[in-house]
Amino acid sequence: MIGNETTELLSGGEREGYGNSELARNVRSASAGALGGSASLGNFRIAEEPKVNGLPKSYSVSADGSPSYLTPSELGRQELYTQVPFTAVFGLQKLERSISGAFANYAAEVDTSTLQGLSEEERNLRSSRASMIILDELEFDAQVVTAPLVFAIIVAAASQFLVGYNTGVMNAPEKVVFPGHSTGLWSLAVAAFAVGGPFGAIVGGKMADQRGRRGALLLDTWTFMLGGLLQTIAPDMYTIIIARFIIGFASGYSSVLVPIYLGELAPPTLRGLLGTLTQFALVIGILIANLLAFPFANENTWRVIFAVTPLISLLQLLFSPFLLESPRWLLNRDPNSLRARYIIKRLRGLRHDHEVEAEVGNFVMGEAAQKQTEATTTAVLSEMISHPKLRKLLMSCIILQVAQQFSGINAVFYYSTAFFDGIIDNPLVGTTIVGAVNVLATYVALLLMDSCGRKSLILWSSGGMFIACVVIVLSLKGILGNMFALLAVNVYVCFFEIGLGPIPWLIVAEMFEGKYVASAMSLCCQVNWACNFIIGLVFPYMNQYLGPWSFGPFGLVLGSVFVFALSVLPETQGTTPDELIAEMTRKNSRSMVYEVNEEDAGAIDMEWRKAMEQLMEEEQTQMHSGTYDYGFKPVDGLGNSQRDNFI
């Protein structure tokens, strides 16, 4: 594939560049020169299963089904697209790096296997150099971040900020919002957030498919605004309960949609990073809700705290032109979509049509590998339950989702101010300290994700939280001082963030094949929101009737989780590098013989540039005339007959 004996297959000449920077062109040229060639537009044909010293070569197909030869780095990107899920999940960076490293080693092994007469030292040196060159080029995508991608990330991540903000916003103002309300009414207002969540999760997935990721996000923004306005001007507690349900609906909607949207916009080497950013947006939202309570959590200005939600939603709408549609969604509806190609060009900073078509091919191959089967979710879940290995992993995922909520973490984020009342002089200070520690612990968790197994993190997390629960109970009973309770709650939050917080979601994205991810994630989401509702509704009564023992039930759950993780839970850190290399060797079993036709390449470049100019003119005209789609125009499809009507 990349050795001297296959140079004739890679004689496409030097690529003119990959991206809008000179550095990108230099890196890619170095890779091509060192490993046997590069790619350009031209004609191609399928070879008869050639092998290089027993190791297979590789090929791909374009969006229209025609074959296309891939250079080593292009093949590596395709591997990433097919093996990294189209979703932005916190902690996914390790999987991305594992696949990149495994492919670089695989390609280097193929390269050295074609060479004769080299000593073992020379062979190892060349293999190491080839591996480093390919790995550098594969990871270069993570360094090329365009302005359109950045703006889309900011606007979308604002929705996750609102999820976190509304998780913590009811914590501080309990005593000043309509004083005299009953415990039942307040707990219902808090729990209504979790009632709306699962409904939003269901609708969000459907709207994303029907109206596109961008249109669905805009509808989510309007929903946040409606709920936020209603909560801000609420005349009584019953209106706040309704508003909390609407905001919870929008939050469940966002929790499903934002990771999908960002995962489809970003290259696979950035999906884990974006998952981390959205997680930070969420925990920072909780912290900001606590900080704003200091000046505004009083009987005169408490509505200001609730007004943040419609204000952020308004800003999202103002910046909505920066929300680009998902190219994956467009290509699924029409593989020949020019709009998808235009968006890919802007997101990746590309110049030439053959670069864009290579990226389109990655989307097509990634979709083919990860596409949900035509069967219903129920049928897919039945298949997973009937398969022993999948059943064990699915049950592990569900148990961890239940444990995540029944560990009591949202009892802290919902009610810590009430919990600290009587323990420290200013309960709001304790709540804010917990929020700040939560942000710092999220960063620590990010570091641990790269070095620790998932099972190990669950063991440390559940064990540490169990000990913290014991200390909390002892402190509340007066055996230990009050400051131990404050310290123990912060330790409890820290241990949650390193394990039970991210791992239940990460293992779904890491361990299931693409066709199972959507169904498994959907089921886990519903279970999580249901348990969230139970905690939000029940904990005030636990605190009222159990008193110092209010964290006792959480300790029992955490002890059970520790035993489960120790004896039953499989290690879910991911596929080993050797297993990845073996799979790559098995998959890449055919080769494309590539013949260059530079005249055709130039003609297509010109035609493509004209199409892009027409698209930009149409988009600008629609913005000036006020007919630009902000999420309310139904999408009936983008077939060949409609290709000129992209918005």
Side-chain angles (χ1 to χ4, degrees), residues 19 45 159 233 259 289 296 374 404 410 419 475 479 505 528 591:
R45 58 186 175 83
S159 294
I233 64 174
F296 299 118
E374 296 300 325
Q404 184 190 78
N410 276 326
F419 174 79
S475 178
I479 299 175
W505 299 108
N528 189 281
S591 173

Side-chain angles (χ1 to χ4, degrees), residues 401-562:
Q401 294 291 341
V402 173
Q404 184 190 78
Q405 292 300 325
F406 283 0
S407 69
I409 189 64
N410 276 326
V412 174
F413 294 137
Y414 289 158
Y415 300 111
S416 63
T417 302
F419 174 79
F420 286 131
D421 192 14
I423 296 178
I424 59 177
D425 294 336
N426 187 347
L428 186 54
V429 172
T431 294
T432 305
I433 292 174
V434 169
V437 168
N438 189 36
V439 175
L440 294 176
T442 301
Y443 177 72
V444 173
L446 176 63
L447 301 180
L448 291 176
M449 289 287 180
D450 287 342
S451 57
C452 299
R454 311 316 185 203
K455 179 175 180 176
S456 300
L457 289 175
I458 291 293
L459 287 170
W460 277 101
S461 178
S462 57
M465 292 176 75
F466 174 81
I467 294 173
C469 283
V470 172
V471 174
I472 290 172
V473 170
L474 293 176
S475 178
L476 294 179
K477 288 185 68 64
I479 299 175
L480 298 174
N482 287 344
M483 291 307 297
F484 280 95
L486 176 61
L487 177 63
V489 169
N490 284 284
V491 170
Y492 171 91
V493 170
C494 285
F495 276 104
F496 173 82
E497 288 296 349
I498 70 169
L500 277 175
I503 298 300
W505 299 108
L506 179 60
I507 63 172
V508 179
E510 272 192 344
M511 298 305 298
F512 284 112
E513 292 181 21
K515 69 175 184 177
Y516 300 122
V517 169
S519 296
M521 193 73 79
S522 176
L523 178 61
C524 288
C525 186
Q526 299 300 315
V527 170
N528 189 281
W529 278 107
C531 296
N532 190 339
F533 165 72
I534 293 172
I535 292 298
L537 186 64
V538 170
F539 183 74
Y541 295 99
M542 292 172 58
N543 197 31
Q544 180 178 342
Y545 292 108
L546 296 179
W549 293 97
S550 58
F551 269 69
F554 302 146
L556 293 176
V557 170
L558 290 164
S560 301
V561 173
F562 184 89

Side-chain angles (χ1 to χ4, degrees), residues 100-355:
S100 297
F103 177 80
N105 291 334
Y106 160 74
E109 184 179 352
V110 175
D111 176 54
T112 55
S113 70
T114 67
L115 305 175
Q116 304 295 330
L118 293 181
S119 67
E120 188 66 24
E121 182 179 357
E122 291 172 330
R123 189 177 298 276
N124 290 337
L125 180 62
R126 179 181 174 89
S127 177
S128 176
R129 180 169 178 264
S131 177
M132 291 178 61
I133 290 173
I134 296 175
L135 185 60
D136 285 345
E137 187 169 346
L138 289 178
E139 294 184 347
F140 189 79
D141 286 337
Q143 303 174 32
V144 181
V145 181
T146 62
L149 179 60
V150 170
F151 283 120
I153 291 168
I154 293 173
V155 177
S159 294
Q160 285 300 91
F161 172 87
L162 289 178
V163 175
Y165 185 84
N166 285 284
T167 297
V169 75
M170 298 291 282
N171 197 333
E174 178 182 0
K175 293 183 177 181
V176 299
V177 177
F178 302 116
H181 57 72
S182 66
T183 300
L185 270 180
W186 188 259
S187 63
L188 188 58
V190 173
F193 177 80
V195 176
F199 292 102
I202 294 172
V203 174
K206 292 181 179 179
M207 294 305 295
D209 291 335
Q210 293 175 6
R211 303 181 64 85
R213 304 340 187 195
R214 180 182 185 277
L217 273 170
L218 290 172
L219 289 176
D220 185 43
T221 303
W222 282 108
T223 307
F224 267 120
M225 178 172 284
L226 173 63
L229 285 174
L230 192 61
Q231 189 174 24
T232 303
I233 64 174
D236 52 42
M237 281 299 301
Y238 297 100
T239 307
I240 287 183
I241 292 172
I242 295 172
R244 287 283 292 174
F245 175 84
I246 296 173
I247 293 173
F249 179 94
S251 297
Y253 193 117
S254 173
S255 297
V256 169
L257 185 58
V258 171
I260 293 174
Y261 175 71
L262 294 180
E264 293 181 353
L265 247 61
T269 49
L270 283 176
R271 291 173 193 165
L273 174 62
L274 296 189
T276 300
L277 292 177
T278 56
Q279 180 67 16
F280 271 106
L282 191 147
V283 297
I284 289 172
I286 296 175
L287 176 60
I288 295 299
N290 298 332
L291 291 173
L292 290 179
F294 280 99
F296 299 118
N298 57 70
E299 293 186 12
N300 297 320
T301 59
W302 58 264
R303 294 183 189 272
V304 175
I305 302 176
F306 293 153
V308 170
T309 296
L311 176 61
I312 297 295
S313 301
L314 177 61
L315 291 175
Q316 283 183 279
L317 291 174
L318 292 176
F319 286 95
S320 61
F322 293 108
L323 279 177
L324 299 174
E325 184 54 270
S326 160
R328 181 194 182 196
W329 183 79
L330 291 171
L331 291 170
N332 283 346
R333 298 176 72 85
D334 177 16
N336 297 310
S337 169
L338 288 178
R339 180 161 185 78
R341 287 158 170 79
Y342 169 55
I343 290 173
I344 289 173
K345 172 181 176 290
R346 293 180 64 184
L347 288 173
R348 303 290 188 266
L350 305 177
R351 296 185 189 182
H352 305 287
D353 72 320
H354 54 278
E355 297 173 332

